[in-house]
């Protein structure tokens, strides 16, 4: 399997950024160093025209280490090229740089990931809960949060 | 922002020591329970007079843990939760999810199954657009249009009901196939419904498109440029209204869309009127797709023949031991459909835009074969979240009354917005 | 009207039937109230689609004297809680219920509002009756329009036969 052009360009600028790549099920995927996500995205956006951040989410692989994996899906609307970028995060250091400066939509997607997974986004200007309420404790999409653990604002506790 | 000026006649009436109005900003809270906020969403606005200066949109009132629920149910059980994402066009959600899981399993439906799925998707798309256009017309005073369009939606839902027994939460699809073949006479009824829908569209077109009240409240209101729309991650009719011809059905064809003849309508200005016109034209295109599917649909099975995924015929389940065991193996807790480890992103064109499922299968600690009978993670890329996220750019610097048509043209659906 | 007439004797009814009608005031009030329901649809989710269908021309909720939606709780008699109530929206629902003037009734529309439905999780209220009193539950996920009409008739029956505060 040959490297993607994106991979080669990123490697030229940041030799240590890309850790791995694959193309399973036809989805081209780069696994990058989380600390260098901003440089990677800058290359993708400026040199390859990935102008749409289709999706931004996180997966909790408890008990694997590193525990969290950020998943970004990019789309070049002009050429219809798609690329998935993944970055792994340790539980003890669950923070990654915000992509708000490149894509305004990252604002809400990142707020959602913060709300449900508790990943901190450095540089995000308005990082508060979006789906749940401020009084909620914990992050429900983490694997160690039980599905039925309720924290109601009113009504009976369970 | 235009400078607000006190009118001369108002100035004359004011006391001499107070020649100007005190221009005060007012905070106005719209929602979460407000008739113009379809479903529940909250917009906090800062007003100067009637002009919206700043606004902040708050969502999450319908968060009901779709993603967590999917992780705790088996591959087929999770389909009921997908119904309730975009509840106006549930079949698209079902089919998108099943297509994603099928991609992970590496199976594909036989042609008849694919045609049935395409038919159901387009029926759902028309009902989605009818609801959106009807509701926004009602909010601008066109109640007749709303009644006509809901009548049309009723015909479509009766068609879906005849297929699967439910009207709204349909559960029309399973992993690896369809639950039923088409009932007898269904395709003829389909042709009749398409005829009725065309008539309704024509009537509503006459009522709205040249209606001065409607056009003046829609034209050049809520403008979004193509560049900003892409930056905000817009897809679907709203992006096409801004003039970008991106449609998942054309650009990343799935099912049988690439074998059919249809077009992608686009707008020019990116305002409310363009979004309305794009939706009207898309319904016409969906009618064309349905007609072609009805004409071309082949015979044969609707399910793929993979016994590890698809339940056996009832006649086998009750008639012989192999069928019974096969049924048990697929239903029993801890067995079920075994999906190998992997991750996949599958986009389909939902009613509001790109509906993507990012599905991860990952063995848990009980797994012996490296497979899992339930998803490790199901992420739904909600099509209307980007539109609502960019909503403030469309309502700032317009009048407060313009929030209603602008918000209507976004077609916010609480289920998929908050999940 | 015949349901209202309580005749002490058949003779009296026969002699007065063309001029006079006797009933209990409570019943008369119930009869008046059940056919002039101003409703507040608290629509949150999927069930709203079926509520829309029921209210439109195909099923026509109007026939039963409960057509006029008032989007101000202060003017409404009956609140339809249509759809899932999450913990985030629950305080809003309670406030709206408290803002309604007496007499008021609550209809819980669909499985989610009645008991949480398929959503047994951290975000969803397990039935609105844990927050506000409910008069009629309509089953279904979502209920068919026929079930909604049935629910409305049940509510009207309840209003007809209940004791009304009027002194």
């Amino acid at each position: 399997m040959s490297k993607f052009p994106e991979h080669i360009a990123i490697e030229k600028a940041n030799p240590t950024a890309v850790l791995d790549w694959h193309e399973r099920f036809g989805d081209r995927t780069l696994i990058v160093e989380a600390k260098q996500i901003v440089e990677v995205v800058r290359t993708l956006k400026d040199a390859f025209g990935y102008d749409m951040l289709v999706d931004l989410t996180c997966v909790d692989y408890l008990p694997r280490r590193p525990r969290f994996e950020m998943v970004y899906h990019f789309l070049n609307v002009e050429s219809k090229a798609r690329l998935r970028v993944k970055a792994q995060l340790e539980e003890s250091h669950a923070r990654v740089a915000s992509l708000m400066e490149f894509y305004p939509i990252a604002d809400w997607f990142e707020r959602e990931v913060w709300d449900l997974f508790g990943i901190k986004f450095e540089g995000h200007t308005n990082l508060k809960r979006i789906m749940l309420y401020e009084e909620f404790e914990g992050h429900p999409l983490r694997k160690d949060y039980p599905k039925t653990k309720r924290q109601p604002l009113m009504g009976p506790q369970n | 922002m235009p400078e607000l000026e006190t009118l001369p006649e108002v100035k004359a009436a004011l006391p001499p020591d107070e020649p100007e109005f005190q221009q005060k900003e007012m905070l106005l809270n719209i929602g979460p329970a407000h008739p113009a906020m379809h479903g529940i969403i909250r917009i906090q606005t800062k007003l100067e007079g009637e002009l919206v200066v700043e606004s902040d949109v708050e969502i999450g009132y319908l968060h009901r843990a779709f993603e967590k629920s999917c992780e705790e149910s088996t591959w087929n059980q999770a389909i009921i939760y997908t119904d309730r994402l975009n509840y106006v066009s549930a079949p698209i959600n079902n089919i998108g999810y099943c297509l994603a899981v099928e991609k992970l399993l590496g199976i594909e439906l036989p042609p008849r199954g694919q045609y049935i799925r395409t038919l159901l998707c387009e029926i759902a798309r028309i009902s989605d657009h009818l609801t959106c256009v009807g509701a926004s017309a009602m909010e601008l005073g066109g109640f007749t249009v709303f009644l006509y369009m809901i009548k049309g939606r009723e015909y479509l839902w009766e068609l879906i009901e005849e297929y699967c027994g439910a009207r709204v939460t349909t559960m029309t699809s399973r992993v690896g196939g369809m639950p039923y073949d088409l009932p007898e006479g269904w395709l003829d009824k389909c042709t009749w419904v398409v005829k009725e829908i065309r008539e309704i569209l024509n009537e509503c077109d006459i009522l709205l498109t040249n209606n001065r009240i409607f056009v003046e409240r829609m034209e050049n209101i809520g403008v979004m440029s193509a560049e900003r729309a892409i930056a905000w991650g817009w897809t679907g009719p709203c992006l096409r209204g801004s003039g970008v011809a991106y449609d998942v059905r054309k650009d990343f064809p799935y099912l049988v869309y690439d074998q059919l003849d249809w077009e992608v309508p686009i707008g020019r200005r990116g305002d409310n009127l363009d979004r309305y016109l794009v939706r009207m034209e898309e319904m016409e295109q969906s009618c064309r797709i349905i007609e072609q599917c009805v004409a071309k649909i082949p015979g044969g099975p609707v399910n793929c023949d993979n016994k590890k995924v698809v339940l056996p015929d009832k006649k086998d389940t009750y008639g012989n031991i192999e069928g019974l065991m096969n049924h048990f193996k697929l239903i029993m807790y801890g067995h079920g459909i075994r999906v190998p480890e992997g991750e996949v992103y599958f986009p389909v064109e939902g009613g509001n835009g790109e509906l993507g499922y990012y599905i991860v299968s990952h063995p848990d600690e009980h797994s012996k074969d490296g497979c899992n009978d339930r998803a490790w993670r199901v992420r739904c890329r909600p099509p209307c979240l980007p539109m609502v996220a960019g909503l403030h750019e469309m309502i700032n610097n317009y009048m407060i009354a313009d929030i209603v048509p602008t918000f209507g043209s976004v077609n916010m659906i609480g289920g998929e917005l908050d999940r | 009207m015949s349901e209202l007439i309580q005749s002490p004797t058949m003779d009296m009814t026969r002699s007065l039937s063309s001029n006079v009608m006797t009933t209990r005031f409570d019943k008369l009030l119930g009869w008046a109230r059940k056919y002039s329901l101003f409703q507040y649809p608290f629509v949150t989710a999927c069930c709203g689609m079926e509520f829309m269908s029921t209210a439109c021309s195909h099923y026509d909720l109007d026939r039963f004297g409960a057509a006029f939606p008032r989007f101000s709780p202060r003017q409404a008699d009956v609140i339809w809680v249509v759809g899932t109530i999450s913990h985030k929206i629950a305080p809003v629902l309670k406030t709206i219920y408290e803002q309604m003037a007496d007499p008021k009734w609550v209809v819980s529309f669909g499985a989610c509002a009645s008991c949480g439905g398929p959503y047994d999780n951290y975000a969803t209220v397990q039935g609105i009756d844990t927050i506000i009193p409910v008069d009629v539950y309509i089953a279904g996920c979502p209920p068919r329009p026929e079930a909604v009409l049935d629910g409305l008739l049940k509510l009207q029956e309840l209003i007809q036969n209940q004791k009304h505060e009027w002194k």
Side-chain angles (χ1 to χ4, degrees):
Chain A
M1 194 173 63
S2 57
K3 288 181 178 177
F4 318 136
E6 291 90 344
H7 185 171
I8 296 165
I10 293 168
E11 249 178 5
K12 202 174 271 174
N14 307 79
T16 56
V18 180
L19 303 175
D20 198 2
W21 81 98
H22 67 76
E23 202 174 347
R24 284 180 213 133
F25 302 107
D27 296 350
R28 301 187 307 143
T29 307
L30 292 179
I31 299 163
V32 303
E33 183 68 51
K35 291 193 184 72
Q36 286 170 308
I37 188 79
V38 171
E39 287 80 41
V40 170
V41 172
R42 185 170 290 131
T43 313
L44 291 178
K45 195 176 180 197
D46 295 347
F48 292 91
Y50 285 104
D51 44 6
M52 188 188 282
L53 175 62
V54 177
D55 193 17
L56 184 162
T57 188
C58 180
V59 187
D60 178 2
Y61 284 103
L62 188 79
R64 193 190 81 178
R65 294 196 64 187
R67 179 173 170 185
F68 296 107
E69 196 168 81
M70 292 296 303
V71 185
Y72 304 85
H73 287 97
F74 296 100
L75 169 72
N76 180 337
V77 179
E78 193 65 40
S79 71
K80 321 291 182 206
R82 279 183 189 276
L83 185 71
R84 180 191 296 146
V85 174
K86 301 204 292 181
Q88 297 185 330
L89 300 175
E90 282 288 351
E91 189 182 358
S92 55
H93 191 80
R95 48 181 62 232
V96 67
S98 167
L99 298 188
M100 259 174 99
E101 54 170 314
F102 301 106
Y103 305 98
I105 184 60
D107 179 357
W108 277 28
F109 281 152
E110 284 170 358
R111 274 175 69 188
E112 189 183 329
V113 171
W114 156 248
D115 190 355
L116 303 177
F117 284 96
I119 309 285
K120 280 227 167 72
F121 289 90
E122 285 156 350
H124 195 291
T125 50
N126 186 25
L127 198 62
K128 58 181 188 191
R129 288 190 181 274
I130 185 166
M131 294 298 172
L132 294 159
Y133 32 94
E134 287 302 323
E135 293 84 350
F136 198 90
E137 280 171 23
H139 302 283
L141 271 187
R142 288 188 172 197
K143 288 281 175 190
D144 49 7
Y145 189 97
K147 183 182 156 206
T148 52
K149 188 180 162 200
R150 297 188 182 87
Q151 307 174 24
L153 290 171
M154 58 189 314
Q157 308 275 328
N158 70 326
Chain B
M1 207 199 87
E3 200 59 39
L4 291 176
E5 277 180 27
T6 314
L7 292 171
E9 56 265 34
V10 177
K11 223 177 234 178
L14 287 169
D17 54 329
E18 208 179 305
E20 294 286 323
F21 259 135
Q22 289 284 319
Q23 286 191 12
K24 270 193 190 162
E25 285 177 344
M26 183 171 80
L27 288 174
L28 184 72
N29 179 42
I30 309 172
H34 187 275
M37 304 289 113
H38 319 183
I40 31 180
I41 181 171
R42 180 178 176 203
I43 304 181
Q44 289 162 288
T45 52
K46 193 187 270 180
L47 304 176
E48 264 189 31
E50 283 194 60
L51 203 71
V52 181
V53 188
E54 235 180 274
S55 52
D56 186 23
V57 183
E58 193 182 338
I59 64 165
Y61 293 99
L62 192 57
H63 180 65
R64 41 190 185 179
F66 161 76
E67 288 164 13
K68 191 85 174 173
S69 306
C70 284
E71 287 170 16
E72 309 239 339
S73 39
T74 61
W75 292 105
N76 267 330
Q77 283 170 349
I79 298 172
I80 76 134
Y81 294 109
T82 63
D83 275 336
R84 288 154 182 79
L85 286 172
N86 185 341
Y87 33 74
V88 198
S89 52
I92 303 182
N93 306 314
N94 304 151
I95 290 165
Y97 171 81
C98 291
L99 283 167
V101 181
E102 283 159 16
K103 193 174 168 190
L104 259 179
L105 283 163
I107 53 178
E108 208 172 52
L109 253 61
R112 187 174 173 83
Q114 301 217 12
Y115 269 92
I116 295 175
R117 283 186 172 179
T118 314
L119 271 168
L120 290 168
C121 278
E122 291 313 306
I123 289 170
R125 191 178 324 280
I126 298 176
S127 79
D128 194 290
H129 287 354
L130 279 177
T131 313
C132 170
V133 174
S136 33
M138 175 184 70
E139 281 159 359
L140 299 182
F143 200 76
T144 317
V145 175
F146 181 64
L147 292 178
Y148 284 2
M149 291 205 158
I150 297 297
K151 182 181 82 179
R153 194 180 75 169
E154 216 57 50
Y155 291 141
L156 295 165
W157 281 4
E158 276 166 18
L159 211 54
I160 291 181
E161 187 186 354
E162 205 173 320
Y163 175 68
C164 69
R167 288 157 51 86
V168 182
T169 46
T170 52
M171 209 164 161
T172 46
S173 179
R174 305 283 187 278
V175 175
M178 303 301 284
Y180 327 96
D181 202 344
L182 294 177
E184 216 168 295
W186 196 83
L187 291 171
D188 296 335
K189 201 176 170 199
C190 214
T191 317
W192 178 81
V193 169
V194 167
K195 200 177 112 258
E196 289 290 317
I197 295 287
R198 282 232 168 90
E199 222 160 86
I200 288 167
L201 289 179
N202 192 24
E203 272 176 338
C204 294
D205 190 48
I206 294 166
L207 281 169
L208 292 177
T209 313
N210 292 316
N211 181 328
R212 201 175 140 196
I213 301 171
F214 182 78
V215 170
E216 282 190 4
R217 288 204 62 186
M218 300 288 269
E219 202 170 13
N220 292 321
I221 305 290
V223 179
M224 190 63 133
S225 68
E227 192 189 333
R228 289 303 289 166
I230 290 172
W232 277 109
W234 283 23
T235 47
C238 292
L239 180 66
R240 292 192 282 275
S242 297
V244 182
Y246 171 60
D247 189 316
V248 182
R249 292 173 291 171
K250 268 269 190 266
D251 297 322
F252 302 95
Y254 54 99
L255 295 176
V256 294
Y257 286 113
D258 49 349
Q259 302 164 26
L260 306 171
D261 176 33
W262 58 282
E263 272 142 43
V264 180
I266 57 168
R268 270 181 300 135
R269 295 176 301 255
D271 59 357
N272 291 341
L273 190 66
D274 273 0
R275 287 190 279 273
Y276 152 76
L277 290 171
V278 164
R279 283 207 171 87
M280 289 295 272
E281 184 53 34
E282 268 186 29
M283 285 191 265
E284 168 57 31
Q285 296 299 329
S286 293
C287 287
R288 282 180 65 195
I289 296 179
I290 293 177
E291 281 174 343
Q292 292 174 50
C293 284
V294 169
K296 287 169 103 172
I297 188 165
V302 294
N303 291 340
C304 61
D305 57 356
N306 191 330
K307 286 201 181 342
K308 289 184 171 175
V309 177
V310 182
L311 282 176
D313 272 351
K314 281 285 168 283
K315 132 172 137 330
D316 287 333
T317 310
Y318 294 123
N320 57 53
I321 186 66
E322 289 81 11
L324 187 69
M325 281 168 71
N326 189 353
H327 185 94
F328 265 34
K329 282 291 277 183
L330 283 174
I331 296 291
M332 260 191 318
Y333 182 80
H335 295 256
I337 301 171
R338 310 297 293 176
V339 178
E341 184 173 8
E343 57 183 337
V344 71
Y345 178 81
F346 197 94
V348 294
E349 181 74 18
N352 281 334
E354 177 172 329
L355 172 75
Y357 285 100
Y358 173 65
I359 294 182
V360 179
S361 176
H362 182 74
D364 54 13
E365 67 264 36
H366 310 298
S367 168
K368 292 186 187 78
D369 54 354
C371 302
N372 205 338
D373 68 331
R374 57 201 62 211
W376 185 262
R377 173 106 169 87
V378 177
R379 156 75 179 171
C380 164
R381 190 261 179 201
C384 77
L385 186 130
M387 266 85 90
V388 179
L391 183 66
H392 62 272
E393 284 198 6
M394 286 152 64
I395 56 180
N396 288 358
N397 297 333
Y398 290 99
M399 295 298 201
I400 184 152
D402 294 335
I403 291 181
V404 176
T406 307
F407 189 69
S409 77
V410 159
N411 192 19
M412 193 279 295
I413 302 285
E416 70 176 19
L417 178 71
D418 298 338
R419 280 156 287 132
Chain C
M1 285 302 279
S2 60
E3 67 205 86
L4 293 171
I5 300 172
Q6 283 187 329
S7 52
T9 65
M10 281 299 286
D11 282 348
M12 194 177 161
T13 318
R14 201 172 296 134
S15 63
L16 296 176
S17 62
S18 54
N19 309 313
V20 179
M21 188 183 77
T22 60
T23 179
R24 279 185 14 248
F25 189 64
D26 220 33
K27 273 212 150 168
L28 180 66
L29 207 55
W31 173 80
R33 278 180 175 163
K34 80 173 179 182
Y35 287 130
S36 65
L37 288 171
F38 281 20
Q39 42 177 338
Y40 180 95
F42 191 84
V43 176
T44 63
C46 336
C47 288
M49 296 300 119
E50 285 296 35
F51 186 77
M52 226 185 225
S53 293
T54 319
C56 282
S57 33
H58 226 75
Y59 291 94
D60 198 9
L61 199 64
D62 207 348
R63 291 178 284 171
F64 302 97
F68 205 44
R70 304 301 303 168
F71 283 102
S72 167
R74 299 194 194 278
Q75 300 166 350
D77 302 310
V78 52
I79 177 169
W80 296 76
V81 182
V82 185
T84 319
I85 300 298
S86 68
H87 288 304
K88 192 170 177 178
I89 195 77
V92 179
L93 174 65
K94 173 117 177 156
T95 314
I96 285 176
Y97 175 75
E98 281 162 0
Q99 284 172 342
M100 287 169 66
D102 274 325
K104 53 188 173 184
W105 295 275
V106 179
V107 179
S108 160
F109 188 115
C112 286
S114 303
C115 65
Y119 296 102
D120 179 11
N121 56 41
Y122 59 87
T124 314
V125 175
Q126 300 299 295
I128 55 163
D129 47 9
T130 57
I131 314 170
I132 57 175
V134 179
D135 294 291
V136 174
Y137 298 88
I138 304 175
C141 188
R144 292 186 55 84
E146 292 88 344
V148 182
L149 296 178
D150 187 46
L152 179 69
L153 295 179
K154 286 268 188 315
L155 178 71
Q156 289 181 328
E157 200 184 313
L158 186 136
I159 295 173
Q160 174 71 73
N161 294 326
Q162 85 180 67
K163 197 166 156 27
H164 290 271
E165 294 286 332
W166 51 274
K167 278 170 195 155

